[in-house]
Amino acid sequence: MNFIIDNWSLFLVALASGGLLLWPMVQGATGGSLQPNGAVQLINREKAVLVDVSEPDEYARSHAVGARNVPLGELEARLPQVVKNKALPVLLICASGGRAARGAAVAKKLGYEQAQAVAGGLKAWKAANLPIAADKA
């Protein structure tokens, strides 16, 4: 017990650093670490393919311009048809980033080594003032 009392500042530092590590989860940060502006750079410079893993009705309401819709449940079967070149970066996006992160794992399992989820999903894409489209009803 004396050790804890004598080294209270070390324990305080440990608690603070642990809290800082958990903060992104508390804030609701989901998906990958690729920010929307970084995704646009990959699309422009390396011909990355943007794949929206949202359900078709979600995609029809709102999606990133240029994104191809392949629902998460169909990703394993349809991704090889949509993106034939496995050397290209594949960027996955959904409403908030959670499904996209799972989709990135599926894509990597299929051999797409440069698969990444867009952090924050379409919500972050909109916040970065990047172009959005909606299918006409």
Side-chain angles (χ1 to χ4, degrees):
M1 191 65 166
N2 284 338
F3 180 78
I4 294 172
I5 294 171
D6 292 341
N7 295 298
W8 65 270
S9 61
L10 294 176
F11 285 101
L12 185 61
V13 169
L15 285 174
S17 64
L20 291 173
L21 288 172
L22 292 175
W23 184 251
M25 288 192 298
V26 171
Q27 268 189 315
T30 57
S33 60
L34 180 65
Q35 296 301 313
N37 289 327
V40 171
Q41 288 179 347
L42 283 173
I43 292 166
N44 291 336
R45 294 180 184 165
E46 299 183 32
K47 308 289 186 227
V49 180
L50 186 61
V51 177
D52 192 320
V53 295
S54 301
E55 292 301 315
D57 60 324
E58 291 176 280
Y59 178 83
R61 276 181 291 198
S62 181
H63 58 271
V65 170
R68 301 175 189 178
N69 184 227
V70 181
L72 182 60
E74 302 172 17
L75 192 64
E76 196 165 350
R78 291 190 43 210
L79 188 60
Q81 298 165 357
V82 174
V83 184
K84 295 181 185 343
N85 185 352
K86 291 184 178 185
L88 288 176
V90 176
L91 312 178
L92 297 114
I93 192 168
C94 67
S96 63
R99 285 177 285 180
R102 292 194 310 266
V106 169
K108 286 184 178 184
K109 186 178 91 173
L110 293 172
Y112 296 90
E113 293 300 320
Q114 295 189 63
Q116 297 183 63
V118 177
L122 194 59
K123 190 177 191 181
W125 190 272
K126 289 177 184 176
N129 292 319
L130 295 170
I132 299 292
D135 294 344
K136 293 182 182 180

